[in-house]
Amino acid sequence: MNPTFDKHEKINIILIVISLISLLTSFILSIEYLSLIAIILCGTPIFKESIEGLITEFDIKADLLVSIAIISSIIIGELFAAGEIATIMAIGGFLEDHTVKKTQNRIKELIKITPQIATRIKNGNEEKIPVDEINVGDMIKILPGESIPTDGIIVNGESSIDQKTLTGESLPIDKKENDEVYSGTINLYGSFIMKTTKISQESSLQRLINLIESSKPENAKIVRQADKWATLIVVIAFISAILTYLYTFEITRSVTILVVFCPCALVLATPTAIMAAIGNLTKNGILVKDGQSLEELAHVDELIFDKTGTLTYGTPKVVKIISDNPKEMMYLAASLESKSEHPLAKSIVKHYNKSELAEVNDFKMHIGKGVSGFINGSKIVAGNKKLLELENIPLNSDVKTNGEIPIYVAKNTEIIGKILLADTLRKTSKETIRRLKGLRVKTTLITGDNEKTAKSIAKEIKIRNVKSDCLPEDKLEYIEREQILGHRVGMIGDGVNDAPSLRKANVGIAMGDIGSDISVEAANITLINDNISDIPHLIGIARKTVSTINRSIGFALSLNIIAMGLAILGYLNPIEGALIHNIGSVIVIIYSTSLITYKISKNYEKLGTTKNLNKTKFKRYNYKKHGDY
């Protein structure tokens, strides 16, 4: 994904770069007046927004605090500090605005999944029509490789459909007459005729687009920590300065009060901690779009996992071979399946992983059933029970599966073996779930797969809360219910079908390596390397970041109050006040930047029982004992 910037954003980038260069030059050459460039370029928009907010909305927010901090720093001669504050805030504002714009643009790309032209059969003739002209009841012909333009029912033919876009299922679904098909899914092999049940504007894909556009957390705009204290600080500082002057008639004391109450440390507490935390996470292959996501993640008490591509690898693999002569059986099966493009066939050939394959004659693909052909004069068949029935091959003994897909291999009407395939778990899934329980986070599995497959995966990794056969709107409804109950919900997914849920959740986490661009843009956080074992560290540093910010703010406020008291009593002059002010800012910065090297305690990995959970330092969070932790 290459970032794209509009003209306004490019101008902002140029201004920020010039400001950073001026600050760096000012620091290296000790020419403090160069910092004025950063103050003018990055500080002017902040001054403008704070004045507009004060006049039009009568609201005192962090922008006003930042303005006071910049102006106060200029008054006491700290031009570099003023330029630094202005530039840091400008970078943060740019990243937030750009994130919103990218998400909106990515949503539009969903439209590309739907074809613009469809083949309609009317009065026995085929005609090409725009998808928007499709009416309910029209007969539409779908060829192999085509995307289905709208929802409907197959009336003639059969095929295998890739429904990953809508349901996230890792394997194609066999469809025959009277089965439903959905817009945005892909017809893989056979051609068929469908009768439309919805117009394109009301189809499943369009509904998915609408869900993504409308889904957002109820509290999407988290109030910055500095905003919470802005009004109180401004009022106290100015009232104290005025009253002190009226009582003592000493302007020096009033100026000192404004200097020591300059909220530099308070303003720097949040962005410095967030930038340090984001730097830490980036080193570990985790991208975080904004500080608000970290704040929300710190209070998440339930994580919802999509199955395919998240807890599992998202591709079928051979998990078991049953045969009296497995070497010969796999040789014949791989040779036959090498002629097919079906995902199951590719997995069998990949598992065999040998170059010597037999020549196949009279190869035939049986849509939704399997394949057949002749090898060295013998007829070889590989497929499901339906194909065995078609070829009159007796099934002497069935195989018990636990969510796996069985492929029967027969030679001259006799079954010689079975191959079981399944979407396998990631190696780190089970350990990740265990560690999340240690962090008192409820885990839930939501998937478009069938109940048997979903429960099999959940049982293996010990997730008790399972929801199967879920469409995008089902996932969305579950998240809404949990949020109504007071839960802070995080969603982890990888596909287009997860995008609405990623946006609706308090925090959306996308699998970046295999995840679709749309799901990545809809999410707040991206796991670049698809390593879900990083999630406990992610939650741990989010909690540590919030804790660090709160402590820094508490320290800054305490220092300001003490210094203001000393200034009122005349024990501090402006120069001494400026020194205390700078010391406070340095302490906050040093403490916040310690997050760069922070690592979650290994003790968390040993947690897992209720007895141990009660002893964790996270028990101060008000987690509801609801469900499986």
Side-chain angles (χ1 to χ4, degrees):
M1 291 179 296
N2 296 320
T4 56
F5 304 104
D6 58 28
K7 183 178 180 180
H8 178 69
E9 288 178 320
K10 289 178 180 178
I11 292 174
N12 285 338
I13 291 174
I14 293 172
L15 296 179
I16 290 173
V17 170
I18 293 174
S19 298
L20 288 171
I21 293 173
S22 69
L23 287 174
L24 184 62
T25 306
S26 172
F27 179 78
I28 295 175
L29 301 180
S30 298
I31 304 176
E32 198 162 15
Y33 286 104
L34 288 175
S35 301
L36 285 171
I37 297 174
I39 296 172
I40 294 171
L41 297 181
C42 294
T44 302
I46 297 174
F47 297 149
K48 181 182 177 182
E49 288 182 14
S50 64
I51 293 172
E52 288 178 351
L54 194 60
I55 295 175
T56 60
E57 301 177 16
F58 305 102
D59 195 10
I60 297 176
K61 294 185 178 180
D63 284 337
L64 183 59
L65 277 183
V66 174
S67 299
I68 293 173
I70 294 173
I71 294 171
S72 300
S73 297
I74 294 173
I75 292 174
I76 63 177
E78 295 290 340
L79 297 182
F80 182 82
E84 181 185 24
I85 294 171
T87 305
I88 288 176
M89 300 310 294
I91 293 173
F94 169 79
L95 292 176
E96 289 183 12
D97 292 341
H98 182 61
T99 297
V100 172
K101 175 179 172 291
K102 284 176 69 180
T103 301
Q104 292 171 341
N105 288 340
R106 286 296 183 183
I107 290 172
K108 298 176 183 177
E109 294 186 8
L110 271 175
I111 300 172
K112 298 178 182 178
I113 298 175
T114 304
Q116 301 302 307
I117 301 295
T119 303
R120 181 169 64 184
I121 300 176
K122 190 172 183 180
N123 299 324
N125 298 318
E126 295 183 7
E127 58 178 352
K128 300 290 185 180
I129 62 169
V131 171
D132 292 340
E133 294 182 11
I134 293 176
N135 296 314
V136 174
D138 282 350
M139 296 296 177
I140 305 296
K141 184 177 181 179
I142 308 295
L143 297 174
E146 286 187 345
S147 293
I148 297 172
T150 188
D151 296 2
I153 297 174
I154 296 178
V155 295
N156 186 11
E158 55 185 22
S159 184
S160 292
I161 307 295
D162 183 353
Q163 297 189 158
K164 189 179 295 184
T165 301
L166 289 180
T167 65
E169 292 169 290
S170 56
L171 300 176
I173 304 298
D174 296 334
K175 299 283 186 176
K176 58 184 184 305
E177 289 185 16
N178 297 321
D179 284 344
E180 286 187 300
V181 290
Y182 306 102
S183 63
T185 59
I186 301 173
N187 178 32
L188 295 179
Y189 306 112
S191 61
F192 61 86
I193 297 173
M194 59 173 278
K195 182 179 180 179
T196 62
T197 55
K198 293 178 182 177
I199 60 175
S200 62
Q201 292 84 353
E202 298 175 354
S203 65
S204 299
L205 180 62
Q206 186 59 49
R207 194 162 66 246
L208 175 60
I209 295 172
N210 294 338
L211 285 174
I212 296 175
E213 289 177 334
S214 61
S215 300
K216 56 185 70 175
E218 296 303 321
N219 185 23
K221 186 71 173 178
I222 301 174
V223 180
R224 293 189 182 94
Q225 292 284 18
D227 286 345
K228 299 174 182 179
W229 297 97
T231 303
L232 181 63
I233 291 174
V234 172
V235 172
I236 290 176
F238 280 101
I239 291 178
S240 299
I242 293 171
L243 291 178
T244 299
Y245 177 74
L246 293 176
Y247 184 77
T248 64
F249 293 102
E250 293 184 24
I251 191 65
T252 302
R253 293 194 187 190
S254 296
V255 171
T256 304
I257 291 172
L258 293 177
V259 168
V260 297
F261 230 93
C262 171
C264 287
L266 179 65
V267 169
L268 289 172
T270 299
T272 306
I274 287 173
M275 291 177 71
I278 289 176
N280 179 308
L281 294 171
T282 301
K283 288 191 300 181
N284 288 278
I286 304 171
L287 290 183
V288 181
K289 289 183 178 179
D290 52 51
Q292 295 177 9
S293 301
L294 285 178
E295 183 176 357
E296 272 294 298
L297 186 62
H299 300 96
V300 160
D301 57 9
E302 179 176 4
L303 274 180
I304 298 172
F305 287 86
D306 172 53
K307 182 186 78 68
T308 306
T310 305
L311 291 172
T312 66
Y313 287 104
T315 55
K317 293 184 179 180
V318 174
V319 295
K320 191 174 184 179
I321 297 172
I322 304 172
S323 177
D324 292 334
N325 189 348
K327 185 176 180 180
E328 180 192 12
M329 190 267 289
M330 284 301 297
Y331 170 69
L332 294 174
S335 299
L336 183 62
E337 297 285 15
S338 66
K339 302 298 181 181
S340 172
E341 292 298 317
H342 195 283
L344 295 179
K346 291 181 177 180
S347 296
I348 292 173
V349 175
K350 183 178 180 180
H351 180 82
Y352 185 66
N353 194 27
K354 292 181 180 178
S355 58
E356 67 274 10
L357 293 173
E359 183 179 348
V360 180
N361 298 313
D362 297 328
F363 174 81
K364 186 177 181 180
M365 177 177 289
H366 305 270
I367 303 301
K369 299 180 182 69
V371 292
S372 64
F374 287 85
I375 297 179
N376 297 327
S378 299
K379 185 172 183 179
I380 308 300
V381 173
N384 55 27
K385 292 181 183 179
K386 294 179 182 178
L387 184 56
L388 297 182
E389 294 174 2
L390 182 67
E391 297 289 339
N392 296 316
I393 300 174
L395 181 62
N396 297 326
S397 62
D398 201 354
V399 58
K400 291 185 178 180
T401 64
N402 193 23
E404 301 92 351
I405 298 174
I407 299 295
Y408 299 90
V409 182
K411 180 179 180 181
N412 293 331
T413 72
E414 181 183 353
I415 295 177
I416 60 173
K418 308 174 189 72
I419 304 172
L420 301 185
L421 298 98
D423 184 9
T424 55
L425 274 172
R426 293 179 182 273
K427 296 179 181 179
T428 55
S429 293
K430 189 173 182 179
E431 176 66 9
T432 298
I433 298 302
R434 187 188 70 80
R435 293 181 66 194
L436 288 173
K437 291 180 179 180
L439 291 172
R440 300 195 71 181
V441 176
K442 175 184 174 183
T443 53
T444 299
L445 172 61
I446 294 185
T447 177
D449 279 0
N450 61 69
E451 183 179 5
K452 185 177 182 180
T453 301
K455 286 188 174 180
S456 173
I457 292 291
K459 182 179 179 181
E460 188 171 351
I461 58 178
K462 297 183 179 179
I463 291 181
R464 294 183 184 177
N465 195 26
V466 185
K467 306 294 178 184
S468 58
D469 298 304
C470 291
L471 292 173
E473 50 263 46
D474 299 322
K475 298 179 181 181
L476 208 59
E477 287 174 5
Y478 178 82
I479 292 174
E480 289 175 343
R481 286 199 302 271
E482 292 298 290
Q483 290 174 332
I484 290 173
L485 290 173
H487 288 276
R488 299 282 187 91
V489 181
M491 172 72 191
I492 306 170
D494 71 297
V496 174
N497 63 300
D498 295 320
S501 299
L502 290 171
R503 291 200 72 198
K504 180 62 182 175
N506 297 85
V507 179
I509 303 174
M511 307 293 281
D513 191 22
I514 65 171
S516 71
D517 285 354
I518 294 170
S519 66
V520 169
E521 295 303 335
N524 308 97
I525 299 169
T526 301
L527 304 179
I528 301 174
N529 301 318
D530 288 348
N531 191 359
I532 63 171
S533 63
D534 289 331
I535 293 175
H537 174 72
L538 172 61
I539 293 177
I541 201 169
R543 291 175 175 177
K544 181 66 175 178
T545 300
V546 170
S547 172
T548 299
I549 291 172
N550 289 336
R551 289 174 182 174
S552 295
I553 288 175
F555 167 77
L557 288 173
S558 300
L559 183 66
N560 284 352
I561 291 172
I562 293 171
M564 185 183 71
L566 294 174
I568 291 174
L569 297 174
Y571 291 114
L572 288 179
N573 58 41
I575 296 177
E576 294 168 339
L579 180 62
I580 292 176
H581 153 263
N582 287 334
I583 290 174
S585 296
V586 170
I587 292 174
V588 166
I589 291 173
I590 292 174
Y591 179 57
S592 297
T593 52
S594 66
L595 287 168
I596 294 177
T597 56
Y598 173 79
K599 292 184 179 180
I600 188 170
S601 172
K602 292 184 178 180
N603 292 330
Y604 301 155
E605 299 179 13
K606 299 177 182 179
L607 298 174
T609 66
T610 303
K611 181 178 179 181
N612 285 334
L613 290 178
N614 291 333
K615 296 179 181 179
T616 73
K617 71 176 187 176
F618 294 123
K619 66 182 180 181
R620 63 179 178 273
Y621 289 92
N622 186 24
Y623 294 119
K624 296 187 176 182
K625 295 182 179 180
H626 175 74
D628 175 35
Y629 285 88

